[in-house]
Amino acid sequence: MRLFLLVSLTMLAFAANSILGRAAVGGGYMDATGFGLWRLVSGALTLAALCWIRGLETWSRERILRPSSLWGGAALTLYMAGFTLAYQDLDAGLGALVLFGVVQISMFLWGAVRGSRPGPAQAAGAVAAFLGLAYVVWPAQGTGVPLTASLLMAASGLGWGIYSLLGRGAQAPLVSTAVNFAWSSVMLLPVLLLAGGGTVVSLHGVFLAVLSGAVTSGLGYALWYRVLPQLLPAVAATVQLSVPVIAILAGAVLLGESVGLRLVLGSVAVLGGIALVVLGGPGQAARQEPGKAG
């Protein structure tokens, strides 16, 4: 029950990121690239402050230059950059489908390679959850699919999949996330310059970006790293399919967006599929951890 509550809280934090991003960027208070950078920097500072309060060593040369830290920062940057650049030209629903579809595929494949193959019930649940998500977010007829933006979103999904897999070996989630955010803040700067972002800034937009970075991203990602070692890759991949559905439901409550029968039926399929994956038990082999990350 404790693990279920922690995972649920993490998914709520991820969905809140989507709501905050839509409110800031969609509302014209900040451009997408600038929002991403403010989000990373505020997350890094908040996590570093928490590490300092708890007496955790964060900025040692050995930890900063550790390969896992560099990989974590690079994976987070790939996720953030791909998402940010694709966001400008890709329908939000289709973007969520591509993003979480790639995340699911990459984590399932890695689990299979490491010997943690999903059982029949888990595989059926994953397919049902993905089809439910597709039913909810599939764009209206006649909507074009921009190839470049779709590829960028796929790269973003790959980045998040790698970031999540690295988190399965994190021994100090709070410290690891702080270092990852710091590295990603630096790595995202060239993307900001090349994309010409950071030109639309407002006080309200900065507030939303800092809230997203410090709370729902920084603390949410640290919590994700904490629960990941207790989840099989198939479970970790599939539960994330609930995030777009939660975000749409929250948008209906907080932003006054409409809720129809399509959303209700799709949500039932997503949640039912997740339940099958979670209750289906481990597949052919027991959980095997990838290389340890700190």
Side-chain angles (χ1 to χ4, degrees), residues 121-209:
Q122 288 184 308
V127 171
F130 184 75
L131 291 178
L133 175 62
Y135 182 67
V136 170
V137 302
W138 193 260
Q141 290 184 351
T143 302
V145 180
L147 179 60
T148 301
S150 298
L151 291 175
L152 285 169
M153 191 62 81
S156 178
L158 180 61
W160 183 254
I162 294 171
Y163 186 78
S164 295
L165 290 168
L166 288 171
R168 287 172 55 77
Q171 297 174 322
L174 198 63
V175 176
S176 296
T177 310
V179 176
N180 291 341
F181 267 61
W183 267 121
S184 188
S185 298
V186 176
M187 294 176 180
L188 192 66
L189 283 174
V191 179
L192 180 72
L193 295 174
L194 290 174
T199 56
V200 180
V201 181
S202 69
L203 185 60
H204 186 60
V206 169
F207 170 76
L208 293 174

Side-chain angles (χ1 to χ4, degrees), residues 107-126:
M107 296 188 72
F108 262 79
L109 288 177
W110 180 256
V113 169
R114 301 294 291 183
S116 178
R117 296 180 179 87
Q122 288 184 308

Side-chain angles (χ1 to χ4, degrees), residues 11-27 29 35 39 79 83 87 92 204-205 208-209 211-212 216-217 243-257:
M11 296 305 105
L12 287 172
F14 290 174
N17 275 327
S18 177
I19 294 295
L20 292 170
R22 280 154 57 187
V25 180
Y29 298 107
F35 182 87
R39 178 179 165 186
Y79 159 70
F83 179 87
Y87 184 90
H204 186 60
L208 293 174
L211 181 60
S212 174
T216 57
S217 292
V243 173
V245 175
I246 296 172
I248 293 171
L249 292 172
V253 175
L254 301 175
L255 304 179
E257 298 171 352

